[in-house]
Amino acid sequence: MILNAEPSKSLWHMSVSSSSVTLASDGKRVSCKVNLKQVNSKMLDSRMLDSCLAEVSFGLLLSVKLDMHSNRLTSVKFSLQALQTELYEGLFNSELFLGITWLDQKADERAPRTETKTVNLRTEEETDDGTIKQKKITPEFFHSFPQKVSVQFDSSNINFWMNSQKRHMNWTLKTLLLKYKRDEDQLALRDFMPGFDMPQTNVEVLLEDGLLLSQSRQRIICLNSVKATMQITSIDVSTTLNVTTCIVHYRHQEFSHWLSLLPWKLRHQTKEAPKKRDIPQINAPIMINTSVSNISVSVQLGDTQPFALGLISASADLQHLRTHSLHQRMTLSLDHLWWRVGEGSHIQQAPHPPNMHVWGNALLLDCFTLQGSYNQSLSLSQSQPQSDTLFVDCTIRGLQAESSETCIQCLSRILSGIHNDSSAAAVPEMSTAAQSVTKSPLLWKIDLNLEDVNIFTLSSVAGAAVLTADTLTVQGSAETTAISIHGFCLVLIKLVEEKMHPCYKAVDIPLPILGFSSLSASYYTSVRTLEMYCGATFIVHWTPADHMFLHQHIVDMLQHANSLLETRPRTVISPLLSQDNHPSLDNPVTSSTGLTNVFSEPPLKKKQLTINMELVCLKATASISNESCICLLLDNMTVVRNSSFLQVKLPHLVASFDGNDIFTFKDMDVQILPEYEKAILCRNAFSQLQTPKNHAWIFNFGSVFIEFPYQYDFSKTFDEAINVQKWLKALYKKDKQGLEPLPPDIVLNVVQFSFIFLDDVFEVKLRDNYELLKDESKESAKRLQLLDAKVAALRKQHGELLPARKIEELYTSLEKKNIEIYIQRSKRLYANTPMRKALLTWTISELEVVVLADESYHGVEKVIKQIKDIDNVSPFPPCGLALVIQWCRMLKYSMKSFLVRIRDYPRYLFEIRDWTLSGRLIGTEQDGHPNARRKQIVKLEKPWGDVVVERNMPPLKFYHDFHSEIALFTIVWGPCWDPAWTLIGQAVDLLTKPSVDPSPLLSWWDKSRLLFHGLWVMNIDQANLHQLATEDPYNTTENMHWEWNKLTFEWKPCHFNFKGDLDINVRTASKYDDCCFMHLSDLCMTFDLQWLCHGNPYDHHSVTLCSPEFLTDFQSLQIHDSYRAFRSENLNLSVKMDLSRHKTEASQPRILLYSSTLRWMQNFWATWTNVSRPICRGKLFNNMKPSKKKLGQHYKELSYTALFPELQVHYWASFAQQRGVQVECSQGHIFTRGTQRLIPQAGTVMRRLISEWNVTQMVSDLSMVTVHLMLSTLEENSDHRPSSNVKKTHLLSLSSLSYQRHSNRIGEDVSVNEGENAFYTHRLRLVDLRASWTTTNRNIAFGLYDGYKKAAVLKRNLSTEALKGLRIDAQIQNKKFKRTSVSLYPLSPTSPPVPLETGEKLEKSQTEGTSMLQKLIEETDKFVVFSEEELGVSDQLYGIAASQTDDVFNRNWLIELINCQV
C-alpha cells in the first residue's frame, strides 16, 4: 500500500497471490524470468464520493536477457494474461487524470530551453526565430534498447463506470502483440539520415478481436484484426498495415457522457500555438503498404439524422526515394466506398444492387484508383533551377452522389464540429516576400477518368433530379486542361415512391431534359483560352413544370451551400496583418515588415478569358403547354468570345412551332462589339443625336425564310409562349434601381428575306387539275379530228362496205385511250414540276437596318416628349401617361427590292425597288388599369398547381417620323384577286390573337388610327397603280394604269398628299384600244379624311379596354364597346386635284378618249362594282365570324374638287376612222359632293345592304371653251396625238360656262321662291356661245352617232340576254354527239331534231351563225336620251296632296344664254 501517491490523499493498494523469479547465467548472458499469476491493484481517493478510482487484475510474465560483455539488454519479453480493469468516474476527475497537461506545461517552464531532456536520445533545441531544430540521433540510442522486445496482452477486459456505477462501458481485446527485433550482425541501411546508418529492424504490432460494448450491450467498436509491420533492410524501409473488419457505432446520446469526462476545456486553455519544427530528412527508400477491408462507421447524433460511412476494401502504397532529387510515388485503391444518411443508415446493410441507387446513399464509389508521383529537385543552383513535377492518374467507376437536406445537415454538423475543434489553433504567421525563395513553377499533369457517374439532388418538394455521365475524362497540366464527357443527360424524377432508382446509360434514357453524347473542352493557361466542342446532337427538352422543378432544386442547392459556408470559422488575422502592424500605402517607411512592395505596387491586370465554342447540332424543344411546343434546330454553331467581342455563327437555324418549320435562318452571323463604324457613320448623319458612339449588336443573315402553313393558328402558340415568358420574368423579377443603361445599337443585314403563307392543297390541286383538263380537252379534240379524218378516208375507200360497228369500236377505244392518257398525266403532274404551295409570297433582297439608341431618347420623360412632338394632334391625358413599354430609336434602312406576290399570279401585288428610309420610331404600351388586365393560366404540376399570369391588354402603339426615297413603287389590284386576298386576311388573323375585350372588333381603318401615328414622307421616282379590269387573275393585258413620275407622298393624320406628274393609261390586249387616257402634269392630289365619331377621333389615349371578367351585370345586358368614343361611324372623304401650278405648254393637262375606251370603261366599272362572293365561310369551314365591313360602305359623304388652268380633251370614234371631237378650255373649276345611303333589303334572308349614292351638289366653272370636230384619213402617230393633216371644223365655243346642281331633297318650300331666286335642281349659264353647223359638221356628227349606236346595239345583242333563245338538243345520242359537232337549233318546239352528217352539219351551222349575226347587226333600235338619273326611291303624287299643294312640284332646269349665236 502506498499512501499519498501522485494524487494527494490517495491510497494505492496492490496484492500478488503467487509469484516466482528465476535467474540464470552462463557467464556470457544473464536471463531473468518473473511470473506473477494473480496481481490485484486498487487505487482509492478519500475526497471522491466514490472512493475507488480504479481496479486492475492480471497475470504477469516477464523475461529479460542481458549480455554481460556489452552490458546491454538483448531480449525483453512482457506478457499480460487475463487483464481485468475497472475504471471509475473518480479517476477521470482526479488530479492524476486532469493534471497531466498542467504538469507537463509546468515541467517545461521549470526546465531550461537548452537543457537536454533525455540522455543519448534525439533532442530538440529552440533557435532564435522560434523554430525547434532536431539534433542528430546517436548510435547509443539503439545500443541502450534491447535487440528483441515482445509485449503481449491476452484476454484483456476493461470496464468504465460512472454515475455511481449506473452507467458503464466494456472493452474486450483478445490479443495485443508488439514485437521488435534488431539484427546488428547484418549490413545496416547506409545513410538512413544524414550521417546515420540504420540497422536492420523488424517491428510488428497485432490486435485481434477487439469489442467495445455499451451499457445496453450494443456494439460501439468491433475490430477483427489490425496488423502493422515495419521492416528495415539494407536496401529500404518497408511498412505494412492491414485492418480487417472494423465496425464503429457512435451514439452521441450514450457516448457524450463519457466524452464529458475528458478535460477538453483545460487542454484548450493551456494549449499554445505549435512551434515550427524541422521535418527530419530521410535518405533511405521507404515503402508503405496499407490494406483495409470491411470498414464501417455509423454516427447517431442527437440533433441530426444518423449517417454511416464504410468501404469493403482499400489499399494504399507509398514509395519514397531520395537521391539527387526527391521521388515519391503513391497508389490508392478503394472498393465500394459508401456514405449513407437518414433513418436506418446506422444499421448494417447488404451491398446495393448493381446499377441501382438507394435513396439515402450520399456517396457511393464502386471502384476508386489513384496513382501519383512527385519529383522534387534538390539542386541548389540558382542559375539553372529545375522545376518540380507532379503526375496524378485517377480512375473512378460507379460514382453516385446525392445531395439532400438530411445529407447537408449531417455534413454541416460534422464540419461545425471539426471547425470548433480547430478554431483554438493558432494561425501560422504569414511568410513575407523577403522570405520567399525564387523557384521554377511546378510542372504537373493530372488524368482523371470517371465512369458511370450519377449525381442525385433530392428535394422535399420537387422530387429528385438525376445527372448522368457515362464517361468523364479530365486531363490537366500546367499549360493545358482538357475535359471530355461522353453520354451526358439530366432527368427529373418528379415523384419519389420507390426506395431505389435504376441507373441507366445516357443512351437508354428516353426523354432527358438535357443530354448529349459527347462534349470536349480545353483550356490553355498561357493564352487564357477555353475551347469547347460538341460533336453530336445537343438535346434540350424544356417545360414550365420541369423548369419549376429545376428551379426548386437549384434554390435548395444554394441554401445547402450557404448552410455549409456558415459553418466556416471566422478568419484569424495574422499578427503581421493586424491593425497595428498593417503597412500604410502613404507611408513607405513600413518596408521593414517586408510587405510594402506587395501593397504599394498595383496588381497586374489579368488577360481576359477567350472562349471558342463549336456545336455541331442543337435541338431545343420547349413544350409550353400540352398542345403547343416550340423547337429550335441549329447546325454547326460557332461562338467566339473575348473581353470586348462576341461572335456567333450559325449556318442553319430552324424554329418550329407545333411541328411546323416556321422560321428558317441561313448563314447567320451575330456580333457584339463595343463600337461599330457603320453605326457611328449613321449616327453622324443625324444632328439631333447626342451620344457619339454606343456598343452595337450586328445581325447578318444570308437568308431568312418564314413559312406559315394553311390554317395554322400561330397566335395561340405564340400567346402561350408570351404567357410563359411573363411567368419567368415574374419568377426572377428584380427591383429596378435608377435608369437602365443605354440599350445597344442594332444593325441588321439580310441578303434574302422571304415570307410565305401556304395555300390550301385542295385548292392548288383543283386549279392544276382544271388546267390539265383544259389542255387534255384540246388534245382529245385533236385526236378526235384525226380519227374523223381517218374514218372519212375509209368511207371514201370502202364506201358502204365499212361496217358501222367497226367505226363505233374505233370511237370507243379512242374514248378509253383519252381516259388512260388523262389518268397517266394526272399521276405525273408533279413529277417534273413541284406543286405550287404559296398563297402569298413576300420577298426582300439586300435589306439593311440600322437602329440607333441615344441618350436624348432614353427614359420615360424623354420618350413622352418625343411622342408629343410627333403626334401633336392627339390630346394628351391631363394626368399624364403611364407606360409599361417605351422606347425611341433612330431608324435607317435600305433594301434593293420589296416584292409581294399572290399565288402564282403573273403580276406582283407590291413591287418596290431601291427603297431607303430614315427617321424616328417610337413604341409604347400604355399601362392598363386593373380592369384592363387579362389573366392567363400557366399550368404547372403538383405541388405548385396552376399559376395565374396577368397580361396587359392595351396594344403596342407606334409613332413615326419617316422620310424615304424609292426608285420604283408598283401596286397591282383587281376584284379578281379578292378571293385570294380573303384567304390571306384569314391567314393574317391567325398570326395575332384577337383582344379578349368583348367589344366588337375594330375595322382595319380604325385599328390603323389607333396604332399608327405620325408623319411619313415618300419621294418616289416612278409610282404605278394597275387596276385589273377582268375577272381572270392571270390576265396581264386588261388594266387601268395610273403612272406617277417624281411623286412626293406625304402621310399625316387624316391627310394624304400626292404631288407629281400623273398619266392614266388604259392597257388592253389590242394596240388599237391602248391609250393614255389622261395626262396631268404637276398634279397636287389631296385626300382629307374626316372621321365621324362620338368623341374626338384623334383621342386614342382615352381608349380603355376591359376584361370580360370585370363586366358588371348591367353591362352584360347591353353590348359593351370600349372603343365607343373612338370608333368611327362614317367617313367623309374630300378629294382635291390641283393643276394650277404648271407653267409650260408641254405640261398641259389632256384627255384622250376612243369610243372603245368608253365601252372599256363600262366593262371596267362593271367589274369593279361586282358583288364579291363569300370565301371559305360558314360551318363547313368553321368560320362563323361576321363579314367585315367594306371601306366603300363606310363613306357618308364624298366631295371632289378639280382645279386646272387649261384642259384639252380629244374623242375619236375609233383608232382606224379618225373621226372625233376636240374640246379645249383655259381655266376651270369643278366641285361635286355626294352622299351615300345604305338601304336594307326586304325579306328574311340576310343580304347585303344596297348602296345608293346621291349627288347633293355640283359646281362647274369653265372659261374659254372651244369644241372642234376633227376628220382625218391618215394614221395616228405613236403618241396618240392628231397629226398636222387633221381637218378641224369649228362646232361650238363660249367664253364662260357655269353649271350648278343642288339636290332636290332639300327640305325647302319651293313655292315661296319665285322668279330669279326660285330653287332649281340644275342651273346652266352660257356666255358668248358661238355654234356652227355645216355639212362637214353634220357628216362628222352623224358618223360619230352612227358608230356609237351600232356598237351599242351589237353589245346588247351579243350579251347573255340575247343567247337565252339558243339551246342544244339533248335527244342526240351520247356517242353520236361525241363524234359530231354541236348543232344549234332555233327555239321551235314543233321541229324535231334531224341528225346530220359531220361535214353537212358543220357547213349548215356556219351558215346559220353568219346569217344570225348579220340580222343582229342590222337590227335598229330607238335611241333614248335622258337627262336625269333614276333614284332608288321616287317621289309619288297622291290625290289629297296634289289638291293641297302648288301646281309646280319641281323646278328642274334653269338655262341662261347670254350673247349666244348659232
Side-chain angles (χ1 to χ4, degrees), residues 825-1117:
R825 292 185 63 183
S826 178
K827 292 181 179 179
R828 299 195 307 266
L829 188 60
Y830 304 110
N832 299 325
T833 304
M835 182 176 61
R836 176 186 64 84
K837 300 187 299 180
L839 173 64
L840 175 73
T841 304
W842 171 26
T843 59
I844 298 176
S845 63
E846 299 182 14
L847 172 65
E848 181 180 4
V849 182
V850 180
V851 182
L852 304 176
D854 193 78
E855 290 291 346
S856 59
Y857 301 151
H858 187 52
V860 180
E861 297 180 356
K862 297 178 181 179
V863 171
I864 292 178
K865 181 180 178 181
Q866 296 296 324
I867 292 175
K868 293 180 179 179
D869 180 47
I870 294 177
D871 187 19
N872 52 9
V873 298
S874 299
F876 205 77
C879 58
L881 190 63
L883 300 177
V884 178
I885 297 176
Q886 70 282 333
W887 49 263
C888 180
R889 301 290 186 271
M890 188 64 71
L891 179 66
K892 182 177 181 180
Y893 80 82
S894 63
M895 62 181 67
K896 191 69 176 177
S897 64
F898 180 100
L899 307 174
V900 179
R901 185 191 296 274
I902 297 178
R903 286 180 172 167
D904 57 347
Y905 297 162
R907 304 292 294 271
Y908 289 109
L909 175 63
F910 292 99
E911 182 180 3
I912 305 176
R913 304 285 182 179
D914 298 331
W915 185 6
T916 61
L917 181 144
S918 62
R920 288 173 295 172
L921 178 64
I922 302 175
T924 63
E925 182 176 322
Q926 191 171 349
D927 187 10
H929 56 82
N931 292 351
R933 297 182 182 273
R934 60 186 177 100
K935 296 182 179 179
Q936 299 294 116
I937 296 178
V938 178
K939 294 185 178 180
L940 303 177
E941 299 179 3
K942 294 180 179 181
W944 298 280
D946 296 341
V947 178
V948 178
V949 177
E950 286 191 354
R951 296 281 301 275
N952 199 34
M953 293 180 61
L956 182 65
K957 300 178 183 179
F958 297 95
Y959 304 84
H960 50 79
D961 183 8
F962 290 154
H963 292 76
S964 60
E965 303 287 337
I966 300 175
L968 176 64
F969 193 111
T970 302
I971 300 177
V972 180
W973 180 251
C976 56
W977 287 8
D978 191 66
W981 188 253
T982 302
L983 296 178
I984 294 172
Q986 295 176 3
V988 172
D989 292 339
L990 295 176
L991 292 185
T992 57
K993 186 176 181 180
S995 176
V996 298
D997 187 278
S999 305
L1001 295 179
L1002 279 179
S1003 54
W1004 64 266
W1005 49 85
D1006 287 335
K1007 186 177 293 185
S1008 64
R1009 291 193 304 116
L1010 178 65
L1011 301 182
F1012 302 100
H1013 315 275
L1015 173 67
W1016 195 330
V1017 178
M1018 293 185 185
N1019 295 322
I1020 306 174
D1021 293 340
Q1022 183 178 2
N1024 302 287
L1025 171 61
H1026 296 271
Q1027 292 179 281
L1028 303 180
T1030 64
E1031 297 182 357
D1032 182 12
Y1034 293 90
N1035 186 279
T1036 59
T1037 58
E1038 301 289 333
N1039 63 84
M1040 180 179 289
H1041 180 196
W1042 298 61
E1043 183 179 2
W1044 288 88
N1045 291 319
K1046 302 300 179 181
L1047 173 65
T1048 300
F1049 168 74
E1050 184 177 354
W1051 173 20
K1052 295 180 180 179
C1054 301
H1055 180 83
F1056 298 93
N1057 191 11
F1058 298 84
K1059 295 180 182 180
D1061 299 335
L1062 174 62
D1063 290 336
I1064 304 178
N1065 304 288
V1066 174
R1067 305 298 186 188
T1068 62
S1070 173
K1071 70 174 184 177
Y1072 303 104
D1073 298 332
D1074 195 288
C1075 67
C1076 180
F1077 166 64
M1078 186 179 296
H1079 171 72
L1080 306 175
S1081 62
D1082 201 7
L1083 170 65
C1084 179
M1085 183 183 293
T1086 304
F1087 293 85
D1088 290 324
L1089 287 75
Q1090 181 184 2
W1091 301 99
L1092 304 180
C1093 308
H1094 292 289
N1096 189 343
Y1098 301 102
D1099 189 9
H1100 59 90
H1101 296 297
S1102 62
V1103 175
T1104 304
L1105 303 183
C1106 182
S1107 180
E1109 60 185 7
F1110 293 104
L1111 292 180
T1112 61
D1113 296 338
F1114 175 75
Q1115 291 176 336
S1116 62
L1117 297 177

Side-chain angles (χ1 to χ4, degrees), residues 216-409:
S216 59
R217 305 302 296 175
Q218 294 183 357
R219 294 184 298 177
I220 298 176
I221 298 177
C222 179
L223 180 63
N224 187 5
S225 65
V226 176
K227 183 178 181 181
T229 61
M230 183 181 69
Q231 183 177 5
I232 301 176
T233 63
S234 60
I235 302 175
D236 56 10
V237 177
S238 61
T239 303
T240 61
L241 174 63
N242 297 323
V243 179
T244 304
T245 312
C246 179
I247 301 175
V248 179
H249 296 280
Y250 175 80
R251 301 171 185 85
H252 187 72
Q253 187 176 2
E254 297 182 2
F255 210 72
S256 59
H257 304 282
W258 302 100
L259 294 177
S260 62
L261 299 178
L262 301 178
W264 301 105
K265 295 183 180 180
L266 181 61
R267 290 183 179 272
H268 289 322
Q269 292 174 0
T270 59
K271 191 173 183 180
E272 296 180 356
K275 297 181 180 180
K276 185 177 180 181
R277 300 174 181 268
D278 287 341
I279 300 176
Q281 179 179 338
I282 300 177
N283 298 328
I286 299 176
M287 292 183 294
I288 300 176
N289 299 323
T290 304
S291 64
V292 296
S293 62
N294 194 15
I295 305 298
S296 176
V297 178
S298 63
V299 179
Q300 290 179 271
L301 302 176
D303 52 351
T304 58
Q305 295 285 343
F307 61 91
L309 176 68
L311 55 86
I312 293 180
S313 64
S315 62
D317 297 333
L318 176 64
Q319 298 179 3
H320 174 87
L321 177 62
R322 187 183 184 93
T323 55
H324 298 291
S325 60
L326 179 62
H327 302 279
Q328 294 179 350
R329 184 181 299 273
M330 184 187 69
T331 301
L332 176 63
S333 177
L334 299 178
D335 185 14
H336 196 76
L337 173 66
W338 50 267
W339 176 31
R340 292 193 298 267
V341 296
E343 296 183 358
S345 59
H346 60 285
I347 303 174
Q348 286 290 108
Q349 299 179 7
H352 76 287
N355 299 327
M356 296 292 290
H357 175 75
V358 180
W359 299 112
N361 285 348
L363 180 64
L364 181 65
L365 293 178
D366 285 344
C367 181
F368 176 84
T369 303
L370 176 65
Q371 296 179 357
S373 63
Y374 175 72
N375 297 329
Q376 181 181 2
S377 176
L378 301 179
S379 175
L380 301 178
S381 175
Q382 298 293 334
S383 61
Q384 295 180 352
Q386 297 181 2
S387 301
D388 300 342
T389 59
L390 174 65
F391 299 97
V392 178
D393 187 1
C394 181
T395 302
I396 300 176
R397 294 185 179 90
L399 171 61
Q400 296 181 16
E402 179 182 317
S403 174
S404 61
E405 184 179 359
T406 304
C407 174
I408 298 302
Q409 289 178 357

Side-chain angles (χ1 to χ4, degrees), residues 1292-1295 1326-1331 1457-1462:
L1292 187 144
S1293 63
L1294 47 88
S1295 61
L1326 303 177
V1327 180
D1328 296 336
L1329 173 64
R1330 301 292 184 267
L1457 300 176
I1458 301 175
N1459 192 15
C1460 299
Q1461 296 180 7
V1462 177

Side-chain angles (χ1 to χ4, degrees), residues 684-788:
N684 295 333
F686 300 102
S687 59
Q688 60 269 37
L689 298 183
Q690 299 177 359
T691 306
K693 61 182 179 179
N694 188 19
H695 60 290
W697 290 16
I698 299 95
F699 298 88
N700 298 318
F701 298 93
S703 64
V704 177
F705 186 77
I706 303 175
E707 182 180 272
F708 291 97
Y710 178 70
Q711 290 186 347
Y712 170 64
D713 192 358
F714 174 79
S715 62
K716 177 183 176 183
T717 303
F718 186 75
D719 187 71
E720 291 178 351
I722 296 298
N723 294 338
V724 174
Q725 184 264 340
K726 296 288 184 181
W727 165 68
L728 292 176
K729 186 177 180 180
L731 184 62
Y732 300 102
K733 184 178 180 180
K734 294 182 179 180
D735 296 335
K736 297 181 181 179
Q737 298 179 357
L739 185 64
E740 295 183 355
L742 186 66
D745 296 341
I746 297 177
V747 179
L748 175 64
N749 297 307
V750 181
V751 178
Q752 188 69 27
F753 173 83
S754 179
F755 182 95
I756 294 178
F757 282 128
L758 294 183
D759 202 353
D760 187 5
V761 179
F762 175 75
E763 294 278 350
V764 175
K765 291 185 177 181
L766 192 64
R767 168 71 185 179
D768 295 340
N769 186 65
Y770 171 72
E771 295 293 335
L772 177 62
L773 282 174
K774 286 198 328 182
D775 184 71
E776 183 59 28
S777 64
K778 297 178 181 179
E779 296 297 328
S780 60
K782 293 179 181 179
R783 290 191 287 267
L784 181 61
Q785 291 179 0
L786 292 177
L787 182 59
D788 289 341

Side-chain angles (χ1 to χ4, degrees), residues 1161-1279:
M1161 290 290 184
Q1162 293 179 357
N1163 296 331
F1164 176 79
W1165 179 254
T1167 302
W1168 276 76
T1169 56
N1170 189 20
V1171 178
S1172 61
R1173 302 298 179 185
I1175 305 299
C1176 294
R1177 301 183 62 83
K1179 293 183 179 180
L1180 181 62
F1181 298 95
N1182 196 20
N1183 185 7
M1184 300 301 296
K1185 296 180 181 179
S1187 60
K1188 296 181 180 179
K1189 186 179 181 180
K1190 301 293 184 181
L1191 180 61
Q1193 298 177 349
H1194 199 61
Y1195 294 115
K1196 182 178 182 180
E1197 184 177 281
L1198 176 63
S1199 62
Y1200 171 76
T1201 304
L1203 300 174
F1204 50 88
E1206 55 182 348
L1207 179 64
Q1208 188 180 72
V1209 181
H1210 290 86
Y1211 172 78
W1212 300 96
S1214 66
F1215 187 86
Q1217 295 180 4
Q1218 291 296 302
R1219 184 184 295 112
V1221 181
Q1222 175 183 332
V1223 180
E1224 293 179 334
C1225 67
S1226 61
Q1227 185 174 0
H1229 165 258
I1230 299 175
F1231 172 78
T1232 180
R1233 179 186 291 117
T1235 59
Q1236 180 182 211
R1237 187 174 60 161
L1238 300 177
I1239 304 173
Q1241 300 190 38
T1244 58
V1245 179
M1246 184 180 296
R1247 299 180 182 273
R1248 294 180 178 88
L1249 301 177
I1250 300 176
S1251 175
E1252 179 186 276
W1253 280 95
N1254 294 323
V1255 179
T1256 59
Q1257 184 180 2
M1258 179 181 292
V1259 178
S1260 299
D1261 293 324
L1262 303 177
S1263 61
M1264 304 304 296
V1265 180
T1266 304
V1267 181
H1268 291 88
L1269 296 179
M1270 297 182 296
L1271 178 64
S1272 175
T1273 58
L1274 300 179
E1275 294 182 358
E1276 189 178 0
N1277 52 18
S1278 59
D1279 59 352

Side-chain angles (χ1 to χ4, degrees), residues 199-218:
Q200 295 190 16
T201 308
N202 291 328
V203 179
E204 179 180 354
V205 178
L206 176 63
L207 281 81
E208 290 184 351
D209 296 340
L211 182 61
L212 179 63
L213 298 177
S214 64
Q215 183 178 1
S216 59
R217 305 302 296 175
Q218 294 183 357

